[in-house]
Amino acid sequence: MKIAFKLFASLSDYLPAGSRDNRIELDVEEGVTVGELIRRYQVPERSAHLVLVNGIFIPPAQRLRHRLKPGDEVAVWPPIAGG
Amino acid sequence: MGWNRKILRVDLTKGICSEEPLNMQWAQEYLGSRGLATKYLVSEIDPKVDPLSPDNKMIMATGPLTGTMASTGGRYTVVTKGPLTGAIACSNSGGFFGAEMKFAGWDMIVFEGRSPKPVYLYVENDRAELRDAAHLWGRSCWETEETIKHELQDPLVRISSIGRAGENGVHYACIVNDLHRAAGRSGVGAVMGSKNLKAVALRGTRGVSGIRDFGEFMQATTAAKKVLADNAVTGQGLPKYGTQVLMNVINEIGALPTRNHRDVQFEDANKISAEAMHEKRPTDGKPHLVTNAACFGCTIACGRISEIDKGHFTVKNSPKYWGASGGLEYEAAWALGAANGVGDLEALQYANLLCNEQGMDPISFGATVGAAMELYEMGVLTKEQIGLDAPFGSAEALARLAEMTATGEGFGRELGLGSKRLCTKYGHPELSMSVKGQEFPAYDSRGIQGMGLAYATSNRGACHLRGYTVASEVLGIPVKTDPHVTEGKAELVKAFQDATAVFDSAGICVFTSFAWTLADVQPQIAAACDGDWSMDRLNEVGERIWNMERQFNNAAGFTAKDDNLPPRLTSEPARTGPAKGMVNQLDKMLPEYYQVRGWTPEGVPTAETLARLGL
Ligand code: SF4
């Protein structure tokens, strides 16, 4: 199934080749969890601070349980803030 | 003591500067800066005063930690009655001006009356005098700063000034210090202009004396700096990416107000984001961002210094804009960009430079342009009236309207009055995206419910810096709450509002609160200041300040009806993103908020609440 994977700020270094504007479309197996996806691209766990699936926050404890669906947009940030 | 115990009173009508002791009783009750200056203001002016009349006063104030070794201790505030809102105005700025006021031996400067001719105030330690500013009138903040430094032959003098926007009465004119730091919101610069006061130039060589226990203070400030350095947000995120890193976050969660809040997501958000500022431009191979920068004594250094593309249509014939200069910060990038549908980063930086140069708040300016663009698209405003085509997304229109507003040319005069007056004049007051006449900052409250309540109840009109629940609802600081629910938001908003009042009144930057809680600030205040500065006392001071500001607004004629949001946010559901279908449910949160505050259902502090807070 196809999903979009987006890494922002300092995490953009972990995006595989072929990504544009901090985003890449990936073909992944059914049932993969958001936590597995983050591990697969070697994003350090403590750097994957703000994890959103379709804009909704996924708390750390649910990341290895939250299964992705076709068309999902996964976006990850390190600890950041602004104002 | 933390305080210098001395204030400077400047009677602009008579041209007299005089020294007064600081009211130390009030210092114990209101701490400093925002709180203490507001106490002076509400004690000295009629709440119904016309903000631009000589009877309004304007106070520049430092806090007990301003100028000290406390991290970010460089802040000062400008407190007055604001022309944009008619409510209490309190604008906070960093840079180096605040610390210099402290070094010169003053806690605050109270300006009253109106000078018969343009003047600037020069303060060198104890000496204070008004000087002729005829040659500075009509000049930008940048020219004013350079001219005064040259005249005084002193590159270290610190200057706050107004540009042409403040002179022309732009209702959201700001006061700019150190070239690109500003007391930005609510039109404090227009008040300064109405007083014929062009600038304040300070030179202080005395450092800060009178810290209560210096050893304890060193320990407390060092420990607190370690907290900032060890925290990933204040130690790494903010210095590297600045506040601009929020552009993609807020877009992703569907709370990035776009095209005058018609939409909640902007298709070009990435083009105007922190990430884009780091990327090399195809035109000249250079990134937009040059470096980060810090205000006085700040160990975070979130500021952005950028270089505009010299070949961009906005500046190719204006070399004065080619150097590295301040911007873009998130709020400015949003207001000049997403709010108008403009995705051209260089055009945003150009408009931002004009705001710094001539002293305008980019939030209110950008949002007012957004309202004008909507009126243009509806056919209510025509090309003939505006002087140009102004559809959403037009970088040319944004740049031109910034020039016109900054210099008071043509339709720029109308834009300079803010979106509320503009939309009302053209028959569509509902299209002004504002509360109490002040434009929203960069968060759409349909996707972040608590912010709707924070905006509606902010004492200076729509503002993110009075109660930044985004920290909790989006970023998880100090704890993550769900941005889509209303439960618990009344308490959350109150807690943020009261704590922020303490940070502001201490003289430190509110961005420290991404790592610090009040418990990190308390030991610093307690070591610097005489008196009981326990956590309980500080919480009480924050709540007292909030209620004092509220009472001023109530006396100025505001009622619960003014704690509202534009109908677009409460009745037009978000069209895309995770908040799709949602509106802000202010009606659910507001009664609860009044209750939590100890106010009547009409939004008035009860006698019991006032007595509890000693008001
Ligand atoms: S955190 Fe940013 S705005 Fe605050 S004092 Fe530091 S540099 Fe200035």
Side-chain angles (χ1 to χ4, degrees), chain B residues 71-75 94-95 181 238 243 293-303 329 508-512:
Chain B
S71 185
T72 77
R75 314 290 306 188
R181 286 283 160 189
L238 275 173
T243 56
C295 302
F296 173 87
C298 174
T299 53
I300 301 174
C302 79
E329 317 292 344
I508 54 175
C509 179
V510 74
F511 287 175
T512 55

Side-chain angles (χ1 to χ4, degrees), chain B residues 70 109 123 146 256 285 310 320 328 419 440 481 500 526 538-539:
Chain B
I109 308 174
V123 177
E146 193 184 321
L256 189 70
K310 298 181 183 62
K320 71 168 168 170
L328 285 159
S419 66
F440 289 112
T481 51
T500 304
L538 285 176
N539 280 316

Side-chain angles (χ1 to χ4, degrees), chain B residues 454-472:
Chain B
Y455 290 149
T457 60
S458 159
N459 287 328
R460 68 169 185 175
C463 171
H464 59 299
L465 294 171
R466 284 295 170 277
Y468 191 65
T469 62
V470 174
S472 167

Side-chain angles (χ1 to χ4, degrees), chain B residues 280-292:
Chain B
K280 292 196 176 109
R281 287 184 285 244
T283 43
D284 61 0
K286 290 184 185 165
H288 189 80
L289 183 75
V290 176
T291 184
N292 66 331

Side-chain angles (χ1 to χ4, degrees), chain A residues 6-12 20-22 46 49-50 52 54-57 73-75 77-83, chain B residues 232-233 237-238 241-243 245-246 248-249 252-253 270 275 330-331 443 464 468 474-475 477 480 484 511 514 578:
Chain A
K6 306 189 241 187
L7 296 176
F8 291 98
S10 53
L11 301 186
S12 54
R20 257 196 85 219
D21 295 336
N22 298 88
R46 62 185 178 86
H49 180 76
L50 185 63
L52 308 178
N54 303 326
I56 304 282
F57 178 71
E73 301 257 336
V74 180
W77 283 265
I80 42 100
Chain B
V233 170
L238 275 173
Y241 290 96
T243 56
V245 75
L246 284 186
N248 282 314
V249 177
E252 195 74 19
I253 66 159
N270 202 52
E275 286 81 358
Y330 172 58
E331 291 297 335
Y443 311 90
H464 59 299
Y468 191 65
V474 180
L475 306 168
I477 303 169
K480 183 78 174 75
H484 294 171
F511 287 175
F514 294 129

Side-chain angles (χ1 to χ4, degrees), chain B residues 470-506:
Chain B
V470 174
S472 167
E473 295 180 276
V474 180
L475 306 168
I477 303 169
V479 284
K480 183 78 174 75
T481 51
D482 185 341
H484 294 171
V485 307
T486 54
E487 288 76 39
K489 295 297 163 69
E491 288 89 357
L492 189 74
V493 166
K494 176 182 182 291
F496 270 86
Q497 287 173 337
D498 292 351
T500 304
V502 177
F503 279 73
D504 287 346
S505 301

Side-chain angles (χ1 to χ4, degrees), chain B residues 8 10 49 58 103 123 137 209 217 263 268 329 335 354 376 393 408 410 473-474 490:
Chain B
L8 177 62
V10 180
V49 73
M58 183 186 89
F103 299 162
V123 177
W137 209 253
S209 55
F217 188 65
D263 291 298
D268 283 340
E329 317 292 344
L354 285 178
Y376 172 85
E473 295 180 276
V474 180

Side-chain angles (χ1 to χ4, degrees), chain B residues 20-103:
Chain B
E20 275 175 29
L22 182 71
N23 185 324
M24 291 310 294
Q25 168 78 30
W26 287 355
Q28 289 292 325
E29 289 162 12
Y30 298 93
L31 192 53
S33 203
R34 172 176 163 188
L36 192 51
T38 305
K39 177 64 183 170
Y40 270 85
L41 187 83
V42 304
S43 308
E44 295 189 14
I45 69 164
D46 174 355
K48 293 218 159 31
V49 73
D50 171 355
L52 297 178
S53 74
D55 293 336
N56 191 12
K57 299 192 185 189
M58 183 186 89
I59 304 178
M60 292 181 165
T62 64
L65 297 183
T66 308
T68 70
M69 297 192 61
S71 185
T72 77
R75 314 290 306 188
Y76 91 103
T77 47
V78 180
V79 177
T80 186
K81 179 171 171 176
L84 188 64
T85 55
I88 192 84
C90 169
S91 292
N92 186 304
S93 181
F96 297 83
F97 179 85
E100 200 74 16
M101 189 188 300
K102 212 63 180 289
F103 299 162

